[in-house]
Every structure is written in C-alpha cells, then in structure tokens.
Amino acid sequence: IGVVHGDGSLIHALHNAQREFQSNTLDLVFFGHSHIPYQGKHGGTWFFNPGSLTSGRGGSNTYGIVEIKGKEISFTLEEF
C-alpha cells in the first residue's frame, strides 16, 4: 500500500501518484489533493482518491472506505 498527497488536478495527481510508485509493485495507492473522488486500476494497481470531507469539488463532500479481505479489495465512497 502506498500513500501520497499529490498535487494539481485529478489527472495530474493521479499521474504523479503513478510515477511516485512506478518502481514498486503495489496493490493499492491512496492519493489526494484534487478533492475529487476517484478509483481506478492501472497496471495491476488500484488508485483511490476519497475526495474531501469539507471542500469536495465533485459536487458533494465525500469520504472513502476500503476493505481488504485476502487478495480482494473493495471501495465504498460515501457522500454527505
């Protein structure tokens, strides 16, 4: 599991997170900064941005729940 804050827009933050961990084999990377929720799998690694609790830019405030059971990873995005 990798964690990085990120910077820039959602796409820029995603690309930076991918570059940050390109030399590692990770199952999951958490990243942020954009305040826009995202989940996607790239090259065998899941990338997850939970959005923002207080200043969501995707239309609402959000937080994420990640469950890891064995080799299975599931994501829940909660809006409020």
Side-chain angles (χ1 to χ4, degrees):
I1 296 175
V3 178
V4 63
H5 179 258
D7 64 352
S9 67
L10 173 62
I11 296 302
H12 192 258
L14 172 61
H15 289 186
N16 284 342
Q18 290 171 317
R19 273 195 308 274
E20 183 73 28
F21 297 104
Q22 67 185 356
S23 63
N24 299 298
T25 303
L26 300 177
D27 295 316
L28 174 62
V29 172
F30 294 97
F31 71 101
H33 184 77
S34 70
H35 296 236
I36 299 171
Y38 176 84
Q39 75 180 56
K41 195 168 190 178
H42 303 271
T45 301
W46 280 103
F47 289 83
F48 185 64
N49 181 336
S52 175
L53 285 170
T54 60
S55 57
R57 295 187 184 136
S60 62
N61 297 328
T62 58
Y63 64 91
I65 299 170
V66 176
E67 292 185 69
I68 301 171
K69 294 180 181 177
K71 293 188 180 267
E72 297 295 317
I73 299 173
S74 64
F75 303 92
T76 304
L77 190 68
E78 297 289 339
E79 296 182 27
F80 63 97

